[in-house]
Amino acid sequence: MNDKDDKIVQILKQNILRHGALSLADYMQICLTHPIHGYYIKNEPIGTKGDFTTSPEISQMFGELIGLWIVQVWMDHQKPKKFSLVELGPGKGTLMADILRATRMITDFHNSLELILIEISPSLKSIQKRALKGFPAQWKTEIKALPNQPTIIIANEFFDALPINQFQRKSNTWMEVMVNLKGLSGADSNEFCFQLMNPSKEILIDFENEVPEEGCMIEISKTMQDIICCLSKHIHQNSGAALIIDYGKEGNVGNTLQAVRKHRYSNPLSSPGQQDLTSFVDFKAIRTHAEESGLIVSHLTNQGDFLKILGIEQRSKILSKGLSGNDLVLHQTALERLINKNLMGDLFKVLGIRSTKSPPLIGLET
Ligand code: SAH
């Protein structure tokens, strides 16, 4: 273990020794976003040299088509003279750079937009600044302070990075999955283990099946719920829409926690702060919270179908014309990765949210 690993291990350990076992959400939060040693704070996680690759990093077509989707939504809102274009967790800034490049000919759109990026990581923020050089942008760490004007929000692989609590059904009651120090005397240990304990905090356990089976596991993200409520309230008051793209499913049953390091799955309890921790996004919970805030939510579609409706195959043909040899092969492989049902095409889902007054969302409701 090097010094960097050790610091976050010691922070987790001191927390446990002082306050008892950590909920999985608290463990994830420290590992991912601890203000000094958190995974997103100090690493460059995205890309071939990092730990995982995201759709905008695979092909420029992803951002180009989302750019067109955004322009259509802006037009459907009667082309407001001033509106916020917001991205949650912009990573390396590639998606937003492609969006802005693909739409630069639409001058009214560019003149009207106020670009706001919600990013917790100072190191990723400086990478985003470089990627978006020349575009006036504001950075915020929280969604709360958005200006009151029509707002279009996009989020690709943002919600999967938020902390979750896990609960398991044992002898007719819900127990919580906690993270504790391994071994009888924790003080000597630098290793962690999962342990089932009584729930750490009052969390409303939302389980819709009649009788949960013994051993059944569910996941709840309080942070995700809070963000969706805040975002929905904002769109309800100001009009607008949100586009959420992520891996996930409709519901909260199952253990979907995963750790990824250098493009391989890893043990979520090993190398804290050195690897990405994610879970499948519960799109049903997003739907419930957005609808409760008075918004319209589209049906859940998959990334492959969504990109095809927006015209990715036609765009790919146009780009292919200028390519040959290895470049052409790479371009075609990238298209496959994004839309093939056995690759990212089906695993990744797309959900649209909009204010009641806006027209149906292109590619999701039409
Ligand atoms: N959307 C990008 C990156 C996805 S990785 C892409 O598609 O390539 C997740 C991103 O969310 C990173 O930029 C990470 O720093 C940011 N993030 C994670 N947790 C966050 C939080 N609580 N608040 C704001 N940003 C967060």
Side-chain angles (χ1 to χ4, degrees):
M1 193 185 293
N2 64 35
D3 275 1
K4 253 163 61 187
D5 297 332
D6 191 51
K7 287 215 176 89
I8 203 139
V9 168
Q10 292 313 317
I11 291 164
L12 290 163
K13 184 172 168 174
Q14 290 313 316
N15 251 289
I16 294 174
L17 291 175
R18 251 180 244 145
H19 309 293
L22 291 165
S23 71
L24 178 58
D26 289 342
Y27 171 80
M28 287 177 80
Q29 189 174 357
I30 294 171
C31 290
L32 294 177
T33 58
H34 180 277
I36 300 164
H37 306 292
Y39 172 74
Y40 281 115
I41 307 303
K42 62 178 187 344
N43 291 298
E44 255 195 53
I46 306 160
T48 36
K49 287 193 196 133
D51 296 306
F52 60 93
T53 302
T54 57
S55 296
E57 304 299 329
I58 290 173
S59 167
Q60 66 183 67
M61 294 185 289
F62 185 78
E64 290 171 348
L65 293 164
I66 290 182
L68 295 184
W69 184 90
I70 294 169
V71 170
Q72 185 62 54
V73 172
W74 172 72
M75 286 174 20
D76 287 342
H77 281 78
Q78 319 304 325
K79 303 185 180 177
K81 289 267 175 298
K82 217 166 172 222
F83 78 102
S84 307
L85 175 56
V86 181
E87 183 173 1
L88 310 182
K92 294 168 87 170
T94 310
L95 173 56
M96 190 51 80
D98 287 338
I99 289 170
L100 295 172
R101 179 183 45 76
T103 57
R104 68 186 180 281
M105 306 298 278
I106 310 162
T107 26
D108 284 1
F109 171 79
H110 269 247
N111 291 340
S112 312
L113 71 84
E114 201 174 321
L115 189 56
I116 301 172
L117 302 154
I118 311 280
E119 176 56 69
I120 203 166
S121 161
S123 55
L124 285 173
K125 180 178 157 184
S126 46
I127 294 175
Q128 292 157 19
K129 270 195 173 153
R130 256 180 275 143
L132 297 169
K133 211 167 149 215
F135 292 104
Q138 302 166 47
W139 275 264
K140 295 185 191 295
T141 50
E142 283 188 328
I143 203 168
K144 276 180 202 142
L146 293 177
N148 283 322
Q149 57 192 12
T151 301
I152 302 175
I153 301 175
I154 56 164
N156 183 62
E157 288 210 48
F158 168 74
F159 285 97
D160 66 65
L162 300 178
I164 53 164
N165 292 82
Q166 282 187 330
F167 301 91
Q168 190 165 32
R169 195 73 179 165
K170 282 275 168 218
S171 315
N172 295 322
T173 180
W174 287 108
M175 300 291 281
E176 181 162 4
V177 176
M178 307 288 280
V179 175
N180 212 346
L181 284 160
K182 218 174 188 172
L184 284 178
S185 161
D188 300 332
S189 172
N190 278 330
E191 283 183 72
F192 302 96
C193 63
F194 288 122
Q195 228 170 55
L196 279 183
M197 297 176 132
N198 287 322
S200 56
K201 288 183 198 139
E202 267 311 304
I203 288 185
L204 186 63
I205 295 188
D206 181 14
F207 185 80
E208 293 196 352
N209 296 13
E210 286 290 294
V211 187
E213 267 176 43
E214 178 73 5
C216 161
M217 207 136 159
I218 62 168
E219 298 176 333
I220 294 172
S221 175
K222 185 77 182 51
T223 312
M224 187 264 271
Q225 290 175 7
D226 291 346
I227 291 175
I228 291 294
C229 287
C230 188
L231 167 161
S232 302
K233 220 194 268 163
H234 182 82
I235 292 178
H236 186 59
Q237 278 167 4
N238 295 284
S239 83
L243 183 72
I244 299 172
I245 306 176
D246 225 311
Y247 42 90
K249 56 190 169 54
E250 299 228 34
N252 62 4
V253 177
N255 173 8
T256 71
L257 177 69
Q258 63 187 31
V260 172
R261 191 175 190 186
K262 300 280 167 231
H263 303 269
R264 305 181 95 119
Y265 291 113
S266 143
N267 175 351
L269 296 181
S270 66
S271 317
Q274 303 296 306
Q275 55 183 3
D276 194 24
L277 295 173
T278 64
S279 69
F280 272 41
V281 173
D282 175 2
F283 283 100
K284 193 168 167 193
I286 294 186
R287 177 186 303 286
T288 306
H289 291 285
E291 284 178 350
E292 276 171 5
S293 305
L295 298 188
I296 308 276
V297 182
S298 76
H299 70 269
L300 190 64
T301 186
N302 63 56
Q303 175 168 297
D305 289 344
F306 179 66
L307 293 176
K308 280 195 251 175
I309 292 172
L310 296 183
I312 196 166
E313 287 161 319
Q314 292 84 337
R315 177 68 185 138
S316 169
K317 273 195 195 125
I318 293 170
L319 288 174
S320 299
K321 285 190 187 137
L323 300 172
S324 60
N326 197 35
D327 290 342
L328 183 60
V329 173
L330 286 176
H331 172 68
Q332 282 159 344
T333 313
L335 174 70
E336 275 300 293
R337 275 181 84 181
L338 292 181
I339 64 173
N340 189 307
K341 297 252 156 109
N342 298 318
L343 301 168
M344 295 171 90
D346 194 39
L347 176 68
F348 280 74
K349 312 288 184 205
V350 186
L351 194 77
I353 298 175
R354 66 170 166 92
S355 44
T356 42
K357 287 175 223 135
S358 344
L361 295 169
I362 173 184
L364 296 168
E365 293 181 88
T366 49

